[in-house]
Amino acid sequence: MDRKKINITFIIPSLIPGGAERILSFVAKKIDKEKFNPTLLVIGFEKNTVYDLDDLHVIYLNKSRVIKSIFSIISYFRKEKPQIVLSSIFHLNTLIAFLSIFFPKIKFIAREANVLTALAKHGPASKFNVHKILIVKAYKLIDCLICQSNDMQQDMVNNFGLSIDKTVLINNPITSNNKPKTSKRDITKPLKIITVGRLSKEKG
């Protein structure tokens, strides 16, 4: 790798079909290669990958759960010495945040995928209370938190005590390169585009 470039590692639990998986692998592929040396570190298995990762350096830890990958992640940080680490999904973000204590030279960025208080309403309150304590402590350790929506950002500030200066709002990119068919379209009429998504409270 070119040491003049910034070595950035994206960490994701797996590459099964999912929003966080799609976005993080897409950004890792599309990030400016003139400035960055990107690596995608996947906790899970290569056989579960459903995304096109051509021209991207990918490392699989082949672990069934995030908690089982702790020593492998530490070993990776010590060996590869990334300058920036970007993770996504709160249980992985929490782990990475606590590991950041031992790697003060690395900038740690987390990407939140949900409005966590809205997500918690679908599970046991006692379990969420435990998670909330960990999240509050963990997210104060990271250098920056990326939020997908205003609701996510406000949730982290108002309900988890995170300084707004430690957050940044970046909406999800459009990841498809498909071009609309134009052969039979009346060009005198406006082009209409339909987008399909899940409108739910935990996404803001």
Side-chain angles (χ1 to χ4, degrees):
M1 288 187 176
D2 186 349
R3 292 297 173 181
K4 294 181 180 179
K5 298 179 183 179
I6 298 171
N7 294 324
I8 182 170
T9 295
F10 299 84
I11 306 182
I12 194 75
S14 71
L15 286 173
I16 61 174
E21 294 82 1
R22 176 174 57 86
I23 296 301
L24 214 65
S25 60
F26 177 82
V27 173
K29 280 189 61 175
K30 298 297 183 179
I31 196 168
D32 188 350
K33 303 302 191 301
E34 295 296 319
K35 297 180 180 179
F36 296 94
N37 283 319
T39 296
L40 183 61
L41 185 65
V42 183
I43 305 300
F45 302 92
E46 184 174 2
K47 65 181 181 180
N48 297 326
T49 298
V50 297
Y51 299 101
D52 177 15
L53 301 176
D54 290 345
D55 302 323
L56 178 62
H57 182 222
V58 185
I59 297 175
Y60 293 90
L61 297 182
N62 296 312
K63 304 295 182 182
S64 57
R65 297 180 62 191
V66 168
I67 195 67
K68 294 181 179 180
S69 67
I70 294 176
F71 295 111
S72 296
I73 293 174
I74 291 173
S75 177
Y76 172 85
F77 287 167
R78 286 175 174 170
K79 180 181 178 181
E80 300 299 331
K81 296 179 174 57
Q83 293 156 278
I84 300 174
V85 169
L86 195 159
S87 61
S88 187
I89 304 180
F90 83 89
H91 63 293
L92 177 58
N93 291 343
T94 302
L95 170 62
I96 295 300
F98 285 117
L99 290 182
S100 72
I101 297 171
F102 305 102
F103 298 93
K105 293 183 179 180
I106 300 176
K107 294 294 184 182
F108 287 89
I109 302 171
R111 173 186 173 274
E112 189 46 66
N114 292 287
V115 178
L116 295 181
T117 50
L119 188 66
K121 293 179 180 179
H122 300 288
S126 59
K127 185 177 181 181
F128 175 68
N129 288 336
V130 174
H131 286 165
K132 184 173 182 178
I133 293 171
L134 290 174
I135 293 168
V136 168
K137 291 182 178 296
Y139 279 20
K140 288 182 179 180
L141 295 172
I142 62 173
D143 294 286
C144 182
L145 178 69
I146 297 174
C147 302
Q148 295 178 46
S149 66
N150 286 311
D151 283 6
M152 289 184 194
Q153 187 176 43
Q154 291 305 311
D155 183 48
M156 298 309 302
V157 172
N158 297 332
N159 298 315
F160 292 88
L162 198 65
S163 168
I164 195 165
D165 295 332
K166 218 172 187 179
T167 70
V168 61
L169 177 60
I170 302 178
N171 300 124
N172 283 343
I174 296 173
T175 58
S176 175
N177 292 321
N178 296 331
K179 296 182 179 179
K181 296 179 180 179
T182 58
S183 58
K184 295 183 179 180
R185 185 173 69 87
D186 184 350
I187 60 173
T188 63
K189 295 181 179 180
L191 176 64
K192 296 180 180 179
I193 298 176
I194 298 174
T195 181
V196 180
R198 178 163 60 97
L199 299 179
S200 55
K201 289 184 180 298
E202 65 266 26
K203 295 299 180 183

